[in-house]
Each structure stands twice: as structure tokens, then as C-alpha cells.
Amino acid sequence: MDGDTTAEVVDRGRHADVVTPWERPEWRTAALEWVAGELAAHGLRVCGPRRVRLRPWSVLVRLPVEGAGAVWFKASPPAGLFEAGLTEALAGWVPEHVLKPVAVDAGRGWALLPDGGPRLADVLENGPDDPRIWEELLRQYADLQRSLLPYAEKIEALGVPGARTAALPGLFDRLVAENGALTDDERAVLHGLRPRLVRWCEELAGLGIADSLDHADVHPGQVFVPAPGRFTFFDWGDANVSHPFCSFVVPAGHAVERYGPEVLPRLRDAYLEPWTGNGHTPHDLRRALRQAWRLGALGRARAWGRLFPEAAATTTQAGAPQSARSLLQLGDEPLV
């Protein structure tokens, strides 16, 4: 399977010089042999050229398969090794919201996934671009998070990084201290924000909604639309266990870019609807979402460190500038 070098298209995107495990023949051969074996065990066979997508944070290979459309092989870097096992576990806990993998090698961070259908990005590009589609997406995502509340400790046991609400000030301290891309002035601004950050965490914890899974990067390229009104969430490499409301800032930001800030009240209320009850008033939930809007930047800042060692070694301060930008967003005023 690996010997036919003509049967391959490689996409490096904006990372023309990226180095990943794919460049190592022994790793590539092992990965492709694992894929072939798992496909054979399911009665499947590759029937066309593979398409390889290489990024500093993942190796992704699309393989056309007879009678099944296509399957996708994904390899995660060491800091994101948890993703394969998490994907498998989610298929058992919330099967209506996620992909069921064809095969998983959790120890090596490898997953073989079925095609999930069109992405939301494709649907918006090719069909009516109605902001109401985001309201239902956010309701379903909130349902996923609520369903996972009892599994938070099991999710962390899979290796998913913890970013518990009460521990966010400590995470903030580590991220600021370790980031070499921050200027002295930027570091001073962040240190000045710390007392406010502590208050935000205290207020958020006081709401009484437990920590859950935070995808940390829900956007139109990370959501499948297998049928009208139904959404499948995938690509969990940036995930952490934190306050669920921290997830809102990324999809909200993408929606604002497309439609303007006037869509936010409806999106906010659609996301919060599944969280109502149990003594939580709309006013309390909205206030908590404002605090989480700011704190969601910490999950994004942390995720930029999950790169392949080969890729990080070829880039000075790999991921640090992006992480610094996320940290500085803590001072942005929430749009909701």
C-alpha cells in the first residue's frame, strides 16, 4: 500500500516546511499497514489515491473505499494522544452527537473514522446561509455537554487535559510564565488582569454547573451535517475538561464574522436553553456566559502547544505567538 508513491496527493496548507511523522518511512509504513489491516477486518478495501493533509498538529489521510465512500486516518501528536481514545469513548456515551470510529489505536493516537458527510462549512457555502442553523447547532452541542457531565473524571482519565474552573488561575499563571512570545508590556497587562480572572472563576463556579467537556474549537469546519437539522461534532484535539460555557466563544466569534453581532442574543439564548432549570435563572446564566466568554481564551491558548515534536523543532517558539494572542483576548470585553 505504501509502495505506490504516485497514489498520493499531499496538502501542507500554509505550512510548506512542516515536518511530521509522515516523513519517516518506518512510521508511515506502520500507519498504512495498520489502516490496511483494520479495513480488511471490516471487509473494506482502498480503491483509489489517498489524499494526505499534513499540519503541525495532525496527520490526516483520506482513503476512498469500495462501497463505503471514504475513510479517514488521523494521527495526533503526543500532547493530543488522548483524542483517539476520547473519540472512541464518546461514541459509546453520546453516539447521537459524534462519529463512531472504524478502529482506534489509543496507545499510538491513531483513529480510523468513517466519512461524516458534508461539513457545516460546505453547507453554508453551497446552500442558504441562514444564521438560524447555528441556533440548533448550539442547542445540540449544549445537549452533548450536559450528557457528559457525569463522565468528566473518566474523560480526564483518558488523558484529556484538565482545565477545571477552580484551577484556571493556576493554568493562567503557567501559560503566561512559559510563553516566550509575550512582550514585557503584554506580560504586565496580563498580570494586571489576574485579580479579575480570579473573580470571574469564582462567579462561574458559584453558578453550580459542573465542569464538562469543552471542545474548545467548534466552528463550521469541525461540524458535520449528516442530515438537515442534525449535527455531528468531531476533531477533539483541542479539547479539555473545563466549564462547559467556555465553548461558546469560538462558534459565537465565527457567527459574528458572518452575520454581525446582532445574531448573538439568539445564539446565546439557544445555547443556554438546555441549561435552564435547577434554579438557574436566565439572568444568572447570561452573566455566567459573559465570564466564560473571557475564560475560554485559556483553553485556546493551551491548545497551541499540541504539536508534533518534529514540527515544533523546525519552528522558533512553535505555537507561542498564537497562544499569546489567545491570552491577550482575556482582556477583551465580551460581546454577549
Side-chain angles (χ1 to χ4, degrees), residues 48 53 95 97 118 122 167 184 204 222 233 273 278 284 306 327:
R53 182 180 181 272
H97 294 300
D122 303 319
D184 290 342
L204 201 54
Q222 312 274 51
F233 302 93
E273 181 182 323
N278 297 321
D284 290 340
R306 299 174 198 170
L327 287 170

Side-chain angles (χ1 to χ4, degrees), residues 12 15 17-24 27 31 52-61 73-81 83 108-111 237 303-319:
R12 297 177 185 271
H15 307 274
D17 299 326
V18 68
V19 179
T20 71
W22 187 258
E23 279 73 30
R24 301 203 310 266
W27 186 96
V52 183
R53 182 180 181 272
L54 303 178
R55 298 294 187 267
W57 51 84
S58 68
V59 170
L60 190 65
V61 184
F73 165 77
K74 183 173 184 180
S76 300
L81 206 64
E83 185 180 1
R108 290 190 284 191
W110 294 353
W304 279 109
R306 299 174 198 170
L307 307 178
F308 287 116
E310 299 95 324
T314 59
T315 305
T316 302
Q317 283 289 314

Side-chain angles (χ1 to χ4, degrees), residues 22-47:
W22 187 258
E23 279 73 30
R24 301 203 310 266
E26 69 281 5
W27 186 96
R28 186 172 64 250
T29 297
L32 292 173
E33 287 180 349
W34 178 78
V35 168
E38 295 297 340
L39 289 177
H42 288 81
L44 300 172
R45 190 174 73 85
V46 175
C47 62

Side-chain angles (χ1 to χ4, degrees), residues 3-289:
D4 185 6
T5 57
T6 63
E8 180 172 291
V9 177
V10 178
D11 165 23
R12 297 177 185 271
R14 294 176 293 176
H15 307 274
D17 299 326
V18 68
V19 179
T20 71
W22 187 258
E23 279 73 30
R24 301 203 310 266
E26 69 281 5
W27 186 96
R28 186 172 64 250
T29 297
L32 292 173
E33 287 180 349
W34 178 78
V35 168
E38 295 297 340
L39 289 177
H42 288 81
L44 300 172
R45 190 174 73 85
V46 175
C47 62
R50 56 182 177 258
R51 294 177 179 268
V52 183
R53 182 180 181 272
L54 303 178
R55 298 294 187 267
W57 51 84
S58 68
V59 170
L60 190 65
V61 184
R62 181 188 185 276
L63 303 119
V65 175
E66 287 182 354
V71 296
W72 299 79
F73 165 77
K74 183 173 184 180
S76 300
L81 206 64
F82 62 83
E83 185 180 1
L86 175 62
T87 299
E88 184 175 44
L90 292 177
W93 295 333
V94 285
E96 67 277 20
H97 294 300
V98 299
L99 292 174
K100 180 180 179 181
V102 176
V104 161
D105 185 328
R108 290 190 284 191
W110 294 353
L112 194 60
L113 303 163
D115 191 88
R119 300 174 308 152
L120 176 58
D122 303 319
V123 172
L124 296 175
E125 181 71 23
N126 300 319
D129 190 349
D130 188 338
R132 288 176 295 183
I133 195 171
W134 295 69
E135 297 175 32
E136 183 57 29
L137 180 156
L138 286 166
R139 286 191 193 95
Q140 292 184 28
Y141 179 68
D143 284 336
L144 176 152
Q145 290 183 298
R146 290 183 69 254
S147 297
L148 291 174
L149 287 171
Y151 298 100
E153 291 186 2
K154 291 183 178 180
I155 292 171
E156 285 182 309
L158 292 170
V160 178
R164 298 280 188 159
T165 306
L168 287 178
L171 174 61
F172 168 83
D173 293 339
R174 291 194 300 277
L175 291 171
V176 172
E178 294 168 0
N179 192 298
L182 290 166
T183 66
D184 290 342
D185 287 345
E186 289 170 341
R187 205 175 296 276
V189 167
L190 289 170
H191 286 314
L193 278 173
R194 193 184 191 283
R196 295 171 60 196
L197 183 144
V198 171
R199 291 197 299 272
W200 299 335
C201 293
E202 290 172 349
E203 289 186 21
L204 201 54
L207 180 67
I209 291 177
D211 295 320
S212 184
L213 184 63
D214 170 17
H215 182 289
D217 200 22
V218 175
H219 63 70
Q222 312 274 51
V223 180
F224 289 125
V225 187
R230 183 180 162 216
F231 303 96
T232 301
F233 302 93
F234 70 101
D235 199 340
W236 298 92
D238 291 345
N240 55 80
V241 175
S242 191
H243 196 284
F245 290 9
C246 289
S247 288
F248 183 75
V249 62
V250 172
H254 281 271
V256 167
E257 287 180 7
R258 298 185 74 92
Y259 313 110
E262 60 272 14
V263 302
L264 277 179
R266 289 176 64 101
L267 298 187
R268 174 199 63 198
D269 292 346
Y271 175 73
L272 292 177
E273 181 182 323
W275 299 100
T276 57
N278 297 321
H280 300 131
T281 68
H283 175 269
D284 290 340
L285 291 171
R286 290 173 180 174
R287 180 175 177 81
L289 195 66

